Amino acid sequence: ATLSVSAETDPNPVLTAVPSLSIAPDARAGGMGDAGVATAPDVYSQYWNPAKYAFAPSRSAFAVSYTPWLRKIVDDIALMNAVGYYKLGTEGNQALSASIRYFSIGDVNITDAQGVLMSTIAPYEMAVDLGYSRKLTETFSGSVTVRYIRADYSGGENNDGSPGSTFAADIAGYNESYINLGKSESLLSFGFNISNIGGKISNNDGATSSFIPTNLRLGASLMYPLSEVSTLSFSLDANKLLVPTPPTREDSGDNYAEDLRKYYDGNSISGIFKSFGDAPGGFSEELKEIAWSFGTEYDYDNKFKVRAGYFHENKMKGNRQYFTFGAGFKMSAFQLDAAYLVSTASSNPLDQTLRFSLAFDIDALRKL
């Protein structure tokens, strides 16, 4: 059937449960347009690409980050994240990593039909994961990660709904090699991460279930030396949710209710394969489901970093479009990063989002 003009342009985002899993937790990538699958390895790689830990220069590190969220609307929503890794063996070709993220949705007032306050609840989303990475060749590494996901919007037994939980896994790879650009030896990196491969999640005792944000991220990065103590990096990520596209009324017609029921009853694993060719608008709509991140980073002597980036999501699929800016300062064993988001789409609640990260190099701390 031929789609109408409105069906090709009206919003039809791919919705998932536990959307906080798609929020960048750290200020480094947050300052580079949310690009991170192929950037130089750092302690925050657990979210972007854990395979990078096998190439990390430090033997162990940990970090914490804090991101106030939607501060133009409310003042008590935030994402908190802690992450760390440890390289195994004398050669350091393997690494164990772990992280915990907690997304507080703030206080929500529950009222009766007359508007009288009955109770106040504190819904949240959280995830705990453990990863293992290993060098498979001199230039390539792979990793697997297992994750426990929990979402509780009920606020207790006396409120509607119930906590939901599920397990998921990530599969990632990373390759880095040196190439000659003119008279300079540059580092070229590629990476991929298929994250949150797992079951669906329910918050009503199994009556209905929703897809979690299974995601494919591909990217490349080039680090070019400007001098003996400074480098300039460019990174590009392509990001696509591996979740089926919901049906539209224009495409389904009188069968919309049945198509919607089949959508929510669908299997999460088969949904990964369906996600590449099920958009109601055909191939053109599939392309619109790809979000792009571009970032650049200037590094002076591994002590001072300046970053900028741009993130673009099609208007039909969410319309997140914004510039990001950031900076990092490293002092001995400590590194502080900050990032700031400036929306280019009108009425974007993410505008002026500010995030902070603090990292600790364990080897450097021991030397202190």
mmCIF file of all heavy atoms in Angstrom, residues 1-5 7-8 250-251 280-281:
data_model
loop_
_atom_site.group_PDB
_atom_site.id
_atom_site.type_symbol
_atom_site.label_atom_id
_atom_site.label_comp_id
_atom_site.label_asym_id
_atom_site.label_seq_id
_atom_site.Cartn_x
_atom_site.Cartn_y
_atom_site.Cartn_z
ATOM 1 N N ALA A 1 0.842 -1.185 0.000
ATOM 2 C CA ALA A 1 0.000 0.000 0.000
ATOM 3 C C ALA A 1 0.878 1.234 0.000
ATOM 4 O O ALA A 1 1.949 1.266 0.588
ATOM 5 C CB ALA A 1 -0.920 0.006 1.214
ATOM 6 N N THR A 2 0.407 2.286 -0.687
ATOM 7 C CA THR A 2 1.156 3.531 -0.747
ATOM 8 C C THR A 2 0.862 4.349 0.492
ATOM 9 O O THR A 2 -0.299 4.603 0.818
ATOM 10 C CB THR A 2 0.787 4.326 -2.007
ATOM 11 O OG1 THR A 2 1.060 3.517 -3.145
ATOM 12 C CG2 THR A 2 1.589 5.602 -2.071
ATOM 13 N N LEU A 3 1.902 4.782 1.183
ATOM 14 C CA LEU A 3 1.717 5.564 2.393
ATOM 15 C C LEU A 3 1.377 6.995 2.043
ATOM 16 O O LEU A 3 1.845 7.538 1.046
ATOM 17 C CB LEU A 3 2.990 5.532 3.242
ATOM 18 C CG LEU A 3 3.358 4.191 3.863
ATOM 19 C CD1 LEU A 3 4.693 4.322 4.568
ATOM 20 C CD2 LEU A 3 2.304 3.733 4.840
ATOM 21 N N SER A 4 0.581 7.613 2.882
ATOM 22 C CA SER A 4 0.283 9.023 2.702
ATOM 23 C C SER A 4 1.486 9.850 3.111
ATOM 24 O O SER A 4 2.413 9.363 3.757
ATOM 25 C CB SER A 4 -0.929 9.408 3.571
ATOM 26 O OG SER A 4 -0.612 9.266 4.955
ATOM 27 N N VAL A 5 1.459 11.137 2.747
ATOM 28 C CA VAL A 5 2.566 12.022 3.100
ATOM 29 C C VAL A 5 2.719 12.104 4.605
ATOM 30 O O VAL A 5 3.814 12.072 5.155
ATOM 31 C CB VAL A 5 2.350 13.421 2.485
ATOM 32 C CG1 VAL A 5 3.418 14.376 2.975
ATOM 33 C CG2 VAL A 5 2.353 13.334 0.966
ATOM 34 N N ALA A 7 1.979 9.869 6.811
ATOM 35 C CA ALA A 7 2.524 8.631 7.356
ATOM 36 C C ALA A 7 4.023 8.560 7.199
ATOM 37 O O ALA A 7 4.705 7.876 7.958
ATOM 38 C CB ALA A 7 1.875 7.438 6.659
ATOM 39 N N GLU A 8 4.566 9.260 6.221
ATOM 40 C CA GLU A 8 6.004 9.250 6.001
ATOM 41 C C GLU A 8 6.727 10.278 6.850
ATOM 42 O O GLU A 8 7.936 10.224 7.000
ATOM 43 C CB GLU A 8 6.302 9.515 4.523
ATOM 44 C CG GLU A 8 5.811 8.411 3.591
ATOM 45 C CD GLU A 8 6.093 8.727 2.146
ATOM 46 O OE1 GLU A 8 6.378 9.900 1.859
ATOM 47 O OE2 GLU A 8 6.037 7.809 1.304
ATOM 48 N N GLU A 250 -2.045 4.501 9.959
ATOM 49 C CA GLU A 250 -2.147 4.711 8.516
ATOM 50 C C GLU A 250 -1.774 3.452 7.749
ATOM 51 O O GLU A 250 -2.363 3.139 6.715
ATOM 52 C CB GLU A 250 -1.227 5.865 8.094
ATOM 53 C CG GLU A 250 -1.660 7.236 8.574
ATOM 54 C CD GLU A 250 -1.219 7.512 10.003
ATOM 55 O OE1 GLU A 250 -0.605 6.602 10.618
ATOM 56 O OE2 GLU A 250 -1.476 8.622 10.505
ATOM 57 N N ASP A 251 -0.796 2.704 8.267
ATOM 58 C CA ASP A 251 -0.327 1.510 7.570
ATOM 59 C C ASP A 251 -1.218 0.298 7.865
ATOM 60 O O ASP A 251 -1.460 -0.530 6.988
ATOM 61 C CB ASP A 251 1.115 1.211 7.973
ATOM 62 C CG ASP A 251 1.714 0.102 7.121
ATOM 63 O OD1 ASP A 251 1.739 0.256 5.892
ATOM 64 O OD2 ASP A 251 2.141 -0.912 7.692
ATOM 65 N N PRO A 280 7.198 0.778 8.781
ATOM 66 C CA PRO A 280 6.054 0.960 7.880
ATOM 67 C C PRO A 280 6.401 1.779 6.636
ATOM 68 O O PRO A 280 5.818 1.570 5.581
ATOM 69 C CB PRO A 280 5.031 1.688 8.762
ATOM 70 C CG PRO A 280 5.384 1.304 10.157
ATOM 71 C CD PRO A 280 6.874 1.174 10.160
ATOM 72 N N GLY A 281 7.365 2.684 6.752
ATOM 73 C CA GLY A 281 7.743 3.513 5.618
ATOM 74 C C GLY A 281 8.795 2.906 4.724
ATOM 75 O O GLY A 281 9.325 3.593 3.832
#
